[in-house]
Structures are given as C-alpha cells and as structure tokens.
Amino acid sequence: MATKESALAAARATVGLTQENLAFALDVSVSTLSRWENGLVKPLPPKRPKLARLLNVSLSELELLLREVHERTSGRSPERSVSVEFDYDSWEDDLDRTAICLGRQEFDLAKLLLDRWVLRFRAETAGMLGLHLYGRSLRLLGDLRQDQGLLRGPLSARQSYLKAIQVYGELGADRRVAQLELQLAVLDEMDGRLVEAAEAYKRLATDQRLAERDRARAQLWVGTALSKHGLNVEAVSFIRPAIRRFEQLEEPQDWSVAYQKLALAHRGAADLRSASDAIEIALNNRAGDAPMQRVRLDTAHAHILLSDAATADNGLALLDAAAATSARYGMMHQLVSIEGIRHAFEGKS
C-alpha cells in the first residue's frame, strides 16, 4: 500500500501539480484524491479534456502523461525521473513570450528566453512534461534560426528541427513530428532544393497526422516550390485549391499569403494582368503588419512592379524599403532574396 501511495504522489509531482490543482483538474475533491493516493479507493478515469487544458498539452500528449501515472501506480519503475530544478510554469510562460518575440522579429530577446532553459536542460533526467517543453523550445529555436536565414551547419534551423523530431518521436506526438517534417521541407525550398521540397509538400498535403490547416499550407507550398522552379502553370493548379481551403477554414492570413503566391506564379507565367489582380487582393487584405509579413508582401509586390517598365521605378523604391527592413531586423534570407531580384532586374535592363 505504501508503494502505491508514493508512486501516485510521485506521478502527480512529475506533471508539477499540487493535490488541490490535480483534484480540480479531475473534478474531484481533495479528500477523494488523497484516498486515491493512499490506495484506499481505486481512481476513476480522469476527465481528460479538462486536465489537458490545465496542463496546456494536447490530448495525445496527456495520454502519455497518464500512461506514466499508470506505470507508477502499478508498481513499475518509470523510464524517467522528474527534474526538480525546473519551474515548468515559468518555462511555459517564457515560451509564450518567445512566440510573441518571433512574431515581431525580436530575435535577441527570443534567443535569450530560449537559452535560459535549453542550455541547462537534461533530457535524460526529465519527466514527460519537461520533454514536451523541451521539444517546443527546440521548435521555436528552429523557427528563430529559419527567420534569420541560418539554414545549414551545427547551429542551423535544420539541426534544431531534427532534435525536436527526436524529442516528439519519443513522446509519441505524431502531429508535432509531421509539423516539423513540414518545416524541414520549407528549409529545402529556402535552400534551393525545389524538387525535393515540392515532393515533400505533396506527401504532407495528404498526411493525416497533420491538421487541415497544415495540409492546406503544404498544398500551397507545393505551388510555391513549383513556381520557383519555373513550373508556373502547374503551380497555379495547387495554389487556387489552397486558397479555397483557407477560405473554408476561415484563415485570413493564410488566404492573403496564398494570393501573394498566386500573383508570383502568374507573373512567372507572363500573365501580368492576373498577377496584378492577385497582388491587389493580397495588399487589400493584409492580415498583419509584422516586419517579416511586410517584407514578404512588399517584395512580391515589387517583383511584379519590376515586370512592367511603366512601374519599375516604384518597384525599385519598394524593394529598397524591403531591403532596409530586412537588414534592420536581421532577416538575412529575405535580404539575399531581395538582392537576387534586384540583380536579375538590372541584368535585363
């Protein structure tokens, strides 16, 4: 009986909850929970959605936590011990702050917030919730490095994403793994590996591990990779259905970005009228004004303006402004892309 008591109490500590918090999460009294921990009454099935919301994890990730609880209460040795030196609530708060910083391209602060946890975390001694936060941290670190244009090498976005895949694979979080595979395909596209990226996007566009929005984004990005590869007519055949899916999903930002991608595909196909119509829709339906979003839209707009001698001067001015913003925020991949557009235009002039 003493083994069951200590095991269940240890399991509760693994997810960082007091008796009062866990009792609230399971919608039982503290005295009932106490009887469970003392082995006097067999625990009833917990109300999983409420507990998942309290722990801020998905239901699949919660099932892993509960499996560890079951192993502890069954007298089996857990695979991992809890790291008591981490304040998981503060870590989660910092990750929320990091996501906001990345949206504003505040890279230095985002890196500071991530480093305070990632650099001293030891996965081999962590509980399941700690691993979940570690995986999320690695994902955000990859996003940061991607936005900075750090695509290759030991400190690249790719390495961060691969480490996150290992963590989420151990947690059995299939959706998180698939999302990271999608990010790796984005890196391939950014690195000029367009055929490989397009094939990965096609596969992920029908991957049931992903939510509908991510599958729609994968479909859109097939079109993006094909357009960059010069297959613009085929690209449109992927982009237009993605636009309809984003409208059905009520995702205004993705919908606007899709029109931006459509404009570039039409431009590549020498259909400047359709390109102008599409970019006008994107411009009139901006879903945000973060520096990265602004640079991407302005760069696409400038690219189209440069295609017509009558609007080329406006295009160059817009390109200069996008380059200045990219340099200011350290968005080096965007800056390289802008310089490439400028050199291509000057080579034709």
Side-chain angles (χ1 to χ4, degrees), residues 312-329:
D313 287 343
N314 290 337
L316 287 173
L318 196 56
L319 210 58
D320 286 341
T325 301
S326 297
R328 176 184 175 188
Y329 287 95

Side-chain angles (χ1 to χ4, degrees), residues 12 88 91 107 217 289 304:
R12 174 168 54 76
Y88 288 152
W91 191 354
F107 297 142
R217 294 169 78 200
D289 198 39
I304 292 165

Side-chain angles (χ1 to χ4, degrees), residues 63 97 214 267 313:
E63 290 301 324
R97 294 169 64 196
D214 282 329
R267 176 201 167 276
D313 287 343

Side-chain angles (χ1 to χ4, degrees), residues 83-100:
S83 176
V84 297
E85 62 185 82
F86 275 77
D87 179 351
Y88 288 152
D89 287 339
S90 295
W91 191 354
E92 192 164 21
D93 288 343
D94 277 352
L95 293 183
D96 290 340
R97 294 169 64 196
T98 299
I100 293 171

Side-chain angles (χ1 to χ4, degrees), residues 243-263:
I243 289 174
R244 291 193 292 270
R245 291 172 73 177
F246 289 134
E247 185 168 359
Q248 293 167 355
L249 292 169
E250 298 182 343
E251 292 287 351
Q253 182 171 323
D254 291 321
W255 184 85
S256 176
V257 169
Y259 267 103
Q260 172 188 320
K261 304 297 186 184
L262 180 63

